[in-house]
Amino acid sequence: MGFFFRDAYLADSELADVERRVAELSVEIRRHNALYYQQDQPEIGDAEYDALLRELAALEAAHPELLRPDSPTQRVGAPVLATGFKTAPHRTPMLSLDNAMDADELRAFDQRIRRMLGRDEELEYVGEPKLDGSGVELVYREGRFHQGLTRGDGRMGEDVSANLLEIPSIPRQIETSDSAPPELASIRGEVVLPLPAFHRLNAGRRERELEPFANPRNAAAGSLRQIHDIDLERLRSLEFRAYAMAEGRPESHTTQWEALETLRSWGFAVSPESQVCSGVEGASSFYALLMERRSDLDVEIDGAVLKVNLLDLQEDLGSVARSPRWAIAYKFPPEQATTRVEGIDVQVGRTGALTPVAKLEPVRVGGVTVSNATLHNQDEIDRKDIRVGDTVVIQRAGDVIPQIVRIVLADREQQLEGGSVFERYRLPEACPICEGTTIRLDGESVTRCPNLDCPAQLKNNLRHLAGRDALDVDGLGEKLVEQLVESGLVSRLSDLFTLQAEALEGLERMGAKSAANLVASLEKAKSTTLPRVLIALGIPHVGATMAEVLAQHFLDLEPLMSASASEIENIEGVGPTIAESVARFFEDRANRDELKRLVSLGVQWAPPEPSAPNPEGSLAGKSFVLTGTLSAPRGEIKQRIEAAGGKVLGSLSKKTDYLVAGEKPGGKLQKARDLEIEILGEEDLEALI
Ligand code: IVH
């Protein structure tokens, strides 16, 4: 009896712990799914992700009562985002693959399926490289390309047909020589970005000061889902490799190998490394061979896929929720190493964002010596609890700056016993470049230096100030900004308006005429409007729409500068983050001084014209919020909406009628969904107008 109670008690508390962990893991995995599949911006490596998923699967297997139908172990990927692509169902679900991490797990897989099939003799497998790209389904009707979908959540994908058709290795027409093409063929494969093209595209991006792609997989997935301003070079650099035929297989087929051969004969590229392997030993040798050849391949692969060759046996084995029982991905070990954090430095980016960087004891990983790893932001440091002196596991994947996977806690504990001190790290309160007070807005992960004249940001801020939507200074391009700052002629924004032609003539390749032109453009730019001034200041979150809203409300700069965050938040269309951002910007002493100086140097504006709504327009009475990159400057789109009687607000509330989402829509998209606000693409907006 006593035992019984004790056991029951133990089981209860244990179960509560397990339940908590299952919930925790589910939340965490869903977050990583969204980062990976929807934002193409993974925070962790595959190995770390797999470890989370496996831990969850193991807990669910031991406690089936905790398995929920919506568990991440039961689904593939993440639901597609309403980015503007139409969605469509896959004809048969696009499944994922179960993983084996080492030889034992491969052997266990082989034994498991042989037991299920009741076979003593060895199985024949097809070994293929596990391509690290983006899975897609191509549908052909009567041999003609009909539709192409991303994997999405496995059931529904995004229709990216138009983009797929730009990929040179995707045939528009299946080439059959001896028979008619099948009425319907569903071909599965991976869209990959070959490494030479990946390096070329990234070199171009660095040149244009764009964030390089983290790895070929993200670059491929992102390229495939381009919706506006489509970069054809990116699309045409992609390649499609076929690895399965879900429908349309010739009846005579009995093996996966035949399917690959047929795909090749139909005009598809099939991984040339694929092989028939006999038994688990053959599969192991194939894996070893691939690992050896990995660095010579022109596409990134992250393991081997082993598929039971006989289709009948595949059918007998069937599938579980996320993956078929007849195939397994035998993953390569991640490129990881262990080292020590010697210090944490802070870099200030061009936009004022402070990025902590771990200084590491140099270590070789994935063929290069690594001595720095980005720590992203304060949240990331807190989440992983990284402190100076810690031993850490780092990982390099693709072209990514190395990441710290985790700390080795046991090592810290041991050192603590020896009397070492490990202090929690906090990002500095003073900008390491200009010593201005740094800020972090509620709900944001970035810590920033808000100082307009911070040398780290000056060039960027000057370019922004000269931009089309801002003061529109003709002739003040990137090169010139560079020269002005490097020569010391401009060391704060307002210095621009002190420039004299004689001084400018001293710059390289600057003739008297260009110098006079620049001085004239600056003079012209001084007479401007209040919204343009607000845009020119580059206040985080204040773009064209918000600048207009603030200008309409305050009519002049003085009242805005002295308004508190809560006063600003009371304005219709202004949310709390923006309000705080504006208030904090003007609280900064250096920014106020800079504004005063701009005004004393002649920057001036007339009071804004009140905007009169057009009660007759097609959008009369409707309110809109804009997000993401749109095909025209925000100001222009706003004008179109207003001309049709609509109102454009800066932030979403329950009362907003529509969210217009461009490319890279950010957090507003989710918020709109949460508030059940209708989401429009630009074309939908045009249609409404
Ligand atoms: S077969 C039902 N073969 O890996 C079988 N998938 O982790 C599922 N992948 O969604 C696909 N190389 O996008 C297969 N040779 C290969 C593959 C491959 C890469 C991808 C595919 C899949 C994911 C599963």
Side-chain angles (χ1 to χ4, degrees):
M1 203 54 179
F3 277 125
F4 174 79
F5 273 116
R6 196 167 144 256
D7 282 357
Y9 169 74
L10 261 184
D12 260 7
S13 73
E14 238 173 55
L15 193 64
D17 281 349
V18 175
E19 203 171 344
R20 205 170 310 122
R21 183 68 187 146
V22 165
E24 236 172 56
L25 285 165
S26 303
V27 169
E28 189 65 1
I29 294 169
R30 276 195 204 103
R31 192 172 77 81
H32 289 301
N33 279 346
L35 284 167
Y36 182 109
Y37 290 108
Q38 297 176 339
Q39 293 156 38
D40 299 324
Q41 242 162 19
E43 250 174 34
I44 57 174
D46 290 356
E48 216 182 327
Y49 175 85
D50 286 342
L52 294 174
L53 200 61
R54 284 164 151 248
E55 186 184 345
L56 180 58
L59 291 175
E60 288 171 346
H63 304 273
E65 68 279 19
L66 297 179
L67 173 63
R68 299 171 49 122
D70 64 345
S71 163
T73 57
Q74 304 302 299
R75 39 188 314 152
V76 176
V80 288
L81 274 178
T83 44
F85 286 112
K86 285 201 206 74
T87 57
H90 291 294
R91 304 187 49 89
T92 50
M94 274 186 87
L95 298 179
S96 182
L97 291 167
D98 201 6
N99 292 330
M101 302 315 249
D102 54 37
D104 285 346
E105 292 189 2
L106 178 71
R107 224 165 289 126
F109 158 79
D110 176 69
Q111 276 168 9
R112 186 168 64 239
I113 61 177
R114 275 164 56 196
R115 197 177 331 113
M116 287 178 106
L117 292 168
R119 277 171 70 108
D120 281 337
E121 66 270 44
E122 293 284 10
L123 283 171
E124 196 169 71
Y125 292 104
V126 172
E128 301 169 19
K130 182 163 184 329
L131 303 165
D132 204 4
S134 194
V136 295
E137 168 180 38
L138 307 180
V139 179
Y140 287 79
R141 287 188 184 273
E142 312 288 355
R144 273 203 79 68
F145 179 93
H146 170 70
Q147 186 181 49
L149 304 176
T150 62
R151 184 165 76 164
D153 64 0
R155 276 180 278 273
M156 300 282 289
E158 286 164 313
D159 184 337
V160 288
S161 304
N163 286 351
L164 286 167
L165 282 171
E166 293 295 339
I167 302 178
S169 48
I170 294 189
R172 285 171 181 254
Q173 178 79 43
I174 291 178
E175 304 158 20
T176 49
S177 50
D178 44 357
S179 57
E183 204 175 296
L184 194 127
S186 157
I187 289 153
R188 310 283 168 92
E190 200 85 352
V191 168
V192 292
L193 179 63
L195 286 162
F198 169 68
H199 293 303
R200 193 182 64 238
L201 287 179
N202 263 358
R205 289 181 75 85
R206 287 198 183 93
E207 228 162 67
R208 283 175 282 149
E209 297 198 19
L210 293 171
E211 187 76 23
F213 298 117
N215 52 48
R217 178 186 58 211
N218 294 142
S223 303
L224 206 54
R225 293 169 62 217
Q226 295 181 84
I227 188 155
H228 296 297
D229 301 328
I230 292 173
D231 180 345
L232 286 178
E233 189 201 347
R234 273 175 72 183
L235 278 176
R236 293 185 184 149
S237 308
L238 299 174
E239 259 180 38
F240 174 74
R241 302 238 172 147
Y243 47 63
M245 222 191 284
E247 276 181 82
R249 239 187 238 132
E251 294 223 339
S252 58
H253 275 188
T254 56
T255 61
Q256 162 70 4
W257 186 251
E258 280 168 293
L260 293 183
E261 286 192 319
T262 303
L263 284 168
R264 201 175 280 137
S265 76
W266 282 357
F268 292 96
V270 172
S271 296
E273 300 78 18
S274 307
Q275 278 183 12
V276 175
C277 316
S278 117
V280 72
E281 290 315 317
S284 283
S285 324
F286 174 72
Y287 170 84
L289 184 77
L290 261 194
M291 186 128 78
E292 229 178 81
R293 294 182 54 190
R294 182 184 190 184
S295 54
D296 301 329
L297 302 184
D298 68 349
V299 293
E300 280 223 319
I301 64 172
D302 58 346
V305 180
L306 295 149
K307 303 177 180 173
V308 170
N309 194 19
L310 277 175
L311 299 176
D312 279 352
L313 296 185
Q314 288 190 2
E315 205 162 299
D316 290 346
L317 286 164
S319 301
V320 287
R322 330 170 67 237
S323 46
R325 289 203 191 85
W326 44 264
I328 195 139
Y330 186 2
K331 303 284 278 276
F332 292 144
E335 300 190 279
Q336 290 189 337
T338 303
T339 184
R340 211 180 73 91
V341 178
E342 291 179 330
I344 297 179
D345 277 1
V346 180
Q347 290 171 355
V348 185
R350 289 180 298 123
T351 57
L354 268 63
T355 307
V357 177
K359 298 277 132 193
L360 305 171
E361 205 168 90
V363 61
R364 277 189 77 77
V365 47
V368 298
T369 302
V370 167
S371 45
N372 297 316
T374 176
L375 297 172
H376 301 285
N377 53 48
Q378 185 70 54
D379 286 348
E380 175 84 358
I381 296 180
D382 295 345
R383 204 156 51 79
K384 294 187 174 158
D385 189 20
I386 298 164
R387 308 187 193 186
V388 174
D390 272 331
T391 300
V392 289
V393 176
I394 63 161
Q395 177 170 308
R396 223 186 122 252
D399 187 84
V400 217
I401 324 158
Q403 305 267 349
I404 293 188
V405 180
R406 61 183 172 85
I407 63 164
V408 182
L409 197 57
D411 204 80
R412 183 195 290 170
E413 280 162 358
Q414 203 177 12
Q415 289 189 62
L416 283 171
E417 273 169 27
S420 301
V421 191
F422 286 80
E423 274 179 35
R424 271 191 185 282
Y425 178 83
R426 305 249 18 119
L427 272 170
E429 280 170 18
C431 167
I433 306 290
C434 71
E435 294 180 1
T437 309
T438 60
I439 57 169
R440 178 175 169 186
L441 301 176
D442 262 359
E444 285 206 336
S445 53
V446 226
T447 303
R448 289 178 201 280
C449 164
N451 176 8
L452 266 179
D453 293 326
C454 173
Q457 305 170 59
L458 186 59
K459 289 181 192 167
N460 198 42
N461 290 349
L462 282 165
R463 279 208 296 276
H464 183 79
L465 174 136
R468 244 186 337 157
D469 278 357
L471 299 191
D472 196 13
V473 186
D474 230 17
L476 186 57
E478 190 173 331
K479 206 88 233 136
L480 189 51
V481 162
E482 195 89 12
Q483 281 178 296
L484 290 172
V485 175
E486 300 296 332
S487 65
L489 282 179
V490 171
S491 53
R492 53 196 281 198
L493 275 190
S494 53
D495 283 350
L496 263 187
F497 296 101
T498 65
L499 290 173
Q500 306 277 326
E502 300 81 73
L504 288 169
E505 281 169 34
L507 296 176
E508 211 178 301
R509 269 182 285 146
M510 173 72 85
K513 188 142 182 274
S514 321
N517 283 346
L518 180 64
V519 173
S521 315
L522 283 165
E523 197 51 43
K524 188 166 147 232
K526 279 185 193 171
S527 298
T528 182
T529 65
L530 182 54
R532 281 179 177 275
V533 172
L534 295 178
I535 297 170
L537 297 175
I539 308 166
H541 301 292
V542 178
T545 314
M546 193 42 63
E548 192 73 45
V549 171
L550 293 171
Q552 284 287 344
H553 184 89
F554 289 99
L555 302 173
D556 208 346
L557 195 58
E558 277 300 324
L560 170 59
M561 283 172 71
S562 45
S564 67
S566 61
E567 278 170 70
I568 303 174
E569 199 185 328
N570 278 335
I571 306 169
E572 192 186 354
V574 182
T577 309
I578 302 176
E580 199 198 340
S581 171
V582 174
R584 300 285 287 268
F585 180 89
F586 289 118
E587 267 165 30
D588 194 286
R589 186 57 195 270
N591 290 346
R592 300 172 73 96
D593 287 350
E594 191 55 21
L595 264 164
K596 270 194 209 133
R597 188 155 181 258
L598 283 169
V599 171
S600 75
L601 289 167
V603 174
Q604 50 170 325
W605 54 89
E609 306 253 334
S611 63
N614 167 5
E616 305 285 289
S618 52
L619 307 184
K622 299 288 179 209
S623 56
F624 295 77
V625 169
L626 310 180
T627 184
T629 314
L630 299 160
S631 61
R634 291 256 176 113
E636 236 169 71
I637 291 180
K638 178 169 181 288
Q639 270 174 6
R640 284 181 55 70
I641 293 177
E642 284 171 354
K647 216 166 29 168
V648 177
L649 308 175
S651 71
L652 289 162
S653 75
K654 268 194 263 171
K655 288 188 228 136
T656 315
D657 293 301
Y658 301 103
L659 176 74
V660 181
E663 209 181 342
K664 304 230 178 87
K668 280 192 185 144
L669 196 63
Q670 189 53 47
K671 186 160 177 210
R673 273 205 216 108
D674 295 345
L675 295 172
E676 296 182 353
I677 291 168
E678 192 171 332
I679 298 165
L680 303 179
E682 265 187 82
E683 286 143 34
D684 307 324
L685 174 65
E686 288 306 320
L688 269 188
I689 292 178

